[in-house]
Amino acid sequence: MEEQMLRRTWAEIDLDALRHNYETLHAHTKAPLVGVVKADAYGHGAITLSRELEKLGVRYLAVSNLEEAKELRKAGIEAPILILGYTPPEYVDQLIAHRITQAAAGERAAIAYSEAAQKCGGTLTVHIKVDTGMSRLGFPCTGDRFDEGVAAARRVCALPNLSAEGIFTHFAVSDEPENGDCKAFTLGQYQLFRRFYAAVEEGGHTFALHHCANSGASAFYPEMALDMVRPGILLYGCGNGAVQLGLKPVMTLKTSVSDIRPLEEGRTVSYGRTYKVEAPAKMGVLPIGYADGFFRALSNQIRMFVKGDFVPQRGRICMDMCMIDLSARPDVAVGDEVEVFGPHQRVDLLAETVGTIPYELTCAVSKRVPRLFFKNGQQVGSELRMYL
Ligand SMILES: *Cc1c(COP(=O)(O)O)cnc(C)c1O
């Protein structure tokens, strides 16, 4: 049972590549790292990756919500954890009990956190979030709202049972440095952030941790590192800047040839008959489809890597299967491994093909696809969300 499952479709997670990326980013930014492991570490497996990052000396781990944070604590992760998103105040006791740091995205939420913390008799550690241009979360600070934001942040720093350890902001376009407008916007966000926290600190409270650099800023503006950097996608070896920095893809999505069928001229392949066989052909059937996270929008547009060379994908990608053209490949047999994306074909290329970002493709690798973890070429563990 286990053997069959593993030989269908799986994601290999290269922990040596993770270490390489971590060390490269650390050397490039000269700053401690926050390992952003939200969304199950962008689909890579948050528990195992957090354990590795902890061994590497990560300064903080960042997740999106309380469930993700608790999962790491339950797995025995001891590193500080920051929740980047919103947590309702009624969960403050859990945040405190699990030693989880919460982003404080506004005064109203911070007051509610303080009141809840007083009720349960503990202290909640928070990082103040500043909205310098994402227009999503955070204390206002743009335009004529600067003073209002500073005053609110100062009041929050003085609230009982809150410990304002950090202050941070998030960039909107730091990963497009070749675009002049984007560069100017990022520099503007950075300068505004620095002015903002300096003004808050004039009120008497000093933050231990100031941070703003996501992957884009870590790669292209390492001088903005401040006390720590928060790369997500680059840690996984994808995204803008990954190739320039020599980062290695951590995830390789693999499947295997389950059947090879000869098709005579004139036959059409899969739903919608979008691919027509022009000469006698041989199609390989792969047990991977959009239910595994392999986007249907990629149909007829990509190649896959089999035994040293690429073959084209043909016809619509189905829920659980798709076809590849093996007409020119007598060397490929049933059971052979196929790389969907990984070191031979970066996930970034597939993302570009469908007009999206690599984040969406690695996050989409679904819960029925087992993650197999490798170190020094040896499998050292596995995770399958579906049957856990
Ligand atoms: C997701 C996230 C990051 C990491 O973003 P990348 O582009 O993957 O580096 C950093 N900071 C915040 C606040 C985030 O939400």
Side-chain angles (χ1 to χ4, degrees):
M1 166 68 189
E2 173 118 321
E3 253 329 89
Q4 273 174 6
M5 164 191 91
L6 297 184
R7 291 201 54 77
R8 187 185 76 91
T9 288
W10 65 99
E12 294 185 0
I13 307 298
D14 181 352
L15 299 176
D16 297 312
L18 179 75
R19 177 164 50 83
H20 170 83
N21 298 343
Y22 180 95
E23 286 170 353
T24 304
L25 287 165
H26 184 48
H28 182 68
T29 59
K30 301 181 181 65
L33 261 69
V34 181
V36 180
V37 293
K38 63 193 181 197
D40 199 25
Y42 294 31
H44 292 65
I47 292 174
T48 303
L49 264 63
S50 297
R51 284 196 184 121
E52 285 304 305
L53 291 168
E54 200 168 37
K55 280 186 224 155
L56 290 165
V58 80
R59 177 67 184 81
Y60 241 102
L61 294 166
V63 298
S64 128
N65 59 58
L66 179 60
E67 299 303 325
E68 292 182 351
K70 278 165 62 181
E71 176 181 50
L72 298 183
R73 283 284 180 259
K74 281 206 177 116
I77 305 289
E78 295 283 335
I81 298 176
L82 170 63
I83 295 181
L84 298 165
Y86 177 67
T87 304
E90 50 265 43
Y91 298 97
V92 162
D93 55 339
Q94 293 194 36
L95 291 171
I96 293 171
H98 294 287
R99 293 168 292 110
I100 295 162
T101 304
Q102 172 62 44
E107 188 174 15
R108 187 159 27 119
I111 290 170
Y113 289 153
S114 168
E115 284 169 355
Q118 290 172 67
K119 251 188 223 136
C120 67
T123 298
L124 177 67
T125 304
V126 295
H127 286 202
I128 303 245
K129 177 76 184 278
V130 186
D131 179 11
T132 55
M134 264 294 276
S135 311
R136 187 172 68 173
L137 292 175
F139 284 72
C141 77
T142 51
D144 52 14
R145 299 193 67 194
F146 186 86
D147 294 339
E148 175 199 332
V150 168
R154 282 187 188 178
R155 287 192 295 271
V156 165
C157 290
L159 285 172
N161 300 60
L162 283 195
S163 165
E165 176 192 51
I167 187 162
F168 72 112
T169 195
H170 194 43
F171 291 125
V173 284
S174 60
D175 59 345
E176 298 177 63
E178 64 290 339
N179 176 317
D181 285 346
C182 294
K183 189 165 187 175
F185 193 80
T186 303
L187 290 172
Q189 280 195 275
Y190 178 65
Q191 278 151 11
L192 186 57
F193 178 55
R194 295 204 52 167
R195 271 210 298 133
F196 186 87
Y197 72 66
V200 176
E201 288 181 339
E202 273 169 33
H205 178 89
T206 305
F207 298 99
L209 297 170
H210 312 77
H211 50 107
C212 60
N214 57 357
S215 287
S218 299
F220 303 116
Y221 310 95
E223 66 279 8
M224 297 181 186
L226 300 178
D227 296 312
M228 54 189 194
V229 293
R230 298 193 310 267
I233 198 74
L234 283 183
L235 209 46
Y236 308 112
C238 338
N240 289 351
V243 173
Q244 293 96 306
L245 286 171
L247 304 180
K248 300 176 181 170
V250 174
M251 182 190 289
T252 303
L253 182 61
K254 287 188 172 175
T255 186
S256 52
V257 178
S258 68
D259 195 11
I260 299 178
R261 313 170 63 83
L263 291 183
E264 57 276 20
E265 190 187 327
R267 292 280 296 268
T268 57
V269 177
S270 192
Y271 291 118
R273 306 184 67 203
T274 56
Y275 181 77
K276 188 172 177 197
V277 174
E278 301 293 355
K282 249 177 23 180
M283 289 296 151
V285 182
L286 306 180
I288 183 170
Y290 59 79
D292 299 294
F294 187 40
F295 287 18
R296 185 173 173 277
L298 291 164
S299 299
N300 286 309
Q301 299 201 68
I302 60 150
R303 306 177 306 165
M304 297 198 208
F305 190 80
V306 196
K307 285 176 110 177
D309 205 355
F310 288 97
V311 296
Q313 190 277 320
R314 304 288 198 208
R316 290 244 172 98
I317 293 166
C318 311
M319 183 183 284
D320 310 308
M321 281 171 262
C322 68
M323 274 60 87
I324 51 173
D325 197 332
L326 294 176
S327 307
R329 295 296 301 277
D331 58 312
V332 176
V334 168
D336 282 346
E337 266 183 33
V338 178
E339 178 185 313
V340 181
F341 61 75
H344 296 98
Q345 167 163 267
R346 285 181 173 262
V347 65
D348 306 66
L349 181 78
L350 268 56
E352 211 179 293
T353 304
V354 287
T356 186
I357 50 175
Y359 307 64
E360 198 178 357
L361 273 92
T362 63
C363 283
V365 173
S366 74
K367 63 182 192 290
R368 77 180 187 191
V369 177
R371 273 67 169 173
L372 311 184
F373 300 95
F374 285 82
K375 222 175 198 176
N376 300 317
Q378 295 286 317
Q379 192 183 326
V380 293
S382 65
E383 266 178 39
L384 181 59
R385 289 275 166 180
M386 191 168 189
Y387 303 116
L388 279 176

